[in-house]
Amino acid sequence: MKVPYLTESHIEARADNTLASFERKFGCFEEPAVPLEEIAECLFDLDVRCEDLNATHGGETLGAIWFEQREIRIDETLNHEAHPEKLGRYRFTLAHEIGHWVLHEPVHQARRRQSSLFEDTNQPSIICRAPLPQTKKPPVEWQADYFAGCLTMPRFLTMRAFENIKGSRAPYIATNEIAFLQSRHASSQATIPILSISREIADALQTSAQATQYRLINLGLILTDQPAPQLLTPTEIEATYIVPEPY
């Protein structure tokens, strides 16, 4: 599906509005995990189920959405009830499909109104597959991914979890841990390994560690390079200068 360009701030605002709409209608949710299934089913009236999507739509299929039928299907390999260790991945995939509904369902409907071509509504409107290594995601998938990160890890909730675990909101400079993990596991220097702080916050928010780390870096809570020393301006130097006591 061809979609219009959306900025990160626009997508984050749409995710925040989704969460705010849910709270206005159903009340504040119990933190820290965002109630994704309730948002899909109660706010948007979407039917959510796990199915064997790999059997029906090919290998590496993670999720799919049918706009006309208001259906979201997630592959059974991510079913957290059968595979508790997949809870974070299941929730991210569900949030990804919600992102398609919020961002792309209007685009789909506008296209259908303008097109005279018959479409098979029994087929998914969008099929989401695991990306191949070193391939760039199409805009429709990147947008849904970014929405999923913002919805599962809203800024205020993520910063609060970070502060609760780390003790402050000062960014974590991860250069030493990255170097240690890369040397320990002989991983590529271009690959940032999953950090301990990312895993801890992922456990708290019930999100995937990889998506959590991306969000923390995006929010500036994890720095992967040593920051350059901050030079003081003349005004700041004057403000910090201590006048010596007279003899």
Side-chain angles (χ1 to χ4, degrees):
M1 174 187 289
K2 187 176 181 180
V3 294
Y5 171 78
L6 298 176
T7 64
E8 291 183 356
S9 59
H10 175 89
I11 296 172
E12 184 168 8
R14 298 289 295 275
D16 289 343
N17 288 341
T18 296
L19 193 55
S21 296
F22 178 84
E23 290 189 313
R24 282 194 299 269
K25 191 169 184 179
F26 301 103
C28 293
F29 64 92
E30 184 177 348
E31 297 182 13
V34 173
L36 298 175
E37 291 181 342
E38 291 84 350
I39 288 174
E41 295 172 348
C42 301
L43 184 63
F44 295 124
D45 193 27
L46 298 169
D47 180 61
V48 178
R49 279 184 282 169
C50 288
E51 290 183 0
D52 188 356
L53 295 178
N54 284 289
T56 55
H57 299 291
E60 303 301 321
T61 301
L62 300 176
I65 186 167
W66 287 255
F67 290 137
E68 301 302 322
Q69 291 90 338
R70 307 180 78 97
E71 293 177 355
I72 288 175
R73 298 291 179 261
I74 297 175
D75 188 65
E76 62 182 12
T77 58
L78 300 181
N79 185 347
H80 63 94
E81 294 180 355
H83 309 284
E85 73 280 3
K86 297 292 184 69
L87 176 61
R89 197 67 191 87
Y90 167 85
R91 283 172 50 80
F92 187 86
T93 302
L94 175 54
H96 177 101
E97 301 304 329
I98 295 173
H100 281 314
W101 178 265
V102 173
L103 301 175
H104 306 135
E105 191 273 341
V107 178
H108 170 80
Q109 294 299 343
R111 188 187 67 178
R112 289 196 73 223
R113 287 193 296 268
Q114 296 171 3
S115 175
S116 59
L117 298 177
F118 172 78
E119 292 186 6
D120 183 2
T121 57
N122 291 320
Q123 292 299 312
S125 305
I126 300 177
I127 298 176
C128 304
R129 307 183 192 277
L132 296 173
Q134 298 180 339
T135 58
K136 186 177 181 180
K137 288 188 176 183
V140 65
E141 291 301 306
W142 176 87
Q143 290 176 6
D145 265 1
Y146 196 80
F147 181 97
C150 295
L151 183 63
T152 57
M153 295 168 280
R155 189 176 295 258
F156 76 95
L157 203 60
T158 306
M159 289 188 168
R160 188 179 301 163
F162 183 87
E163 184 175 12
N164 289 340
I165 291 171
K166 189 174 177 293
S168 74
R169 294 191 180 185
Y172 171 57
I173 302 172
T175 49
N176 290 338
E177 185 178 355
I178 290 172
F180 170 75
L181 292 174
Q182 286 176 335
S183 63
R184 182 178 181 181
H185 301 289
S187 60
S188 168
Q189 296 296 310
T191 302
I192 301 175
I194 302 300
L195 306 170
S196 57
I197 186 71
S198 302
R199 296 187 188 279
E200 290 184 74
I201 294 178
D203 288 341
L205 300 181
Q206 296 182 11
T207 52
S208 72
Q210 184 177 9
T212 301
Q213 182 156 294
Y214 179 86
R215 181 69 168 151
L216 292 172
I217 292 173
N218 185 263
L219 291 175
L221 294 173
I222 289 178
L223 301 181
T224 58
D225 294 310
Q226 185 72 32
Q230 297 295 312
L231 298 178
L232 296 178
T233 66
T235 302
E236 289 171 329
I237 293 174
E238 183 178 353
T240 58
Y241 179 71
I242 300 176
V243 179
E245 293 288 339
Y247 291 110

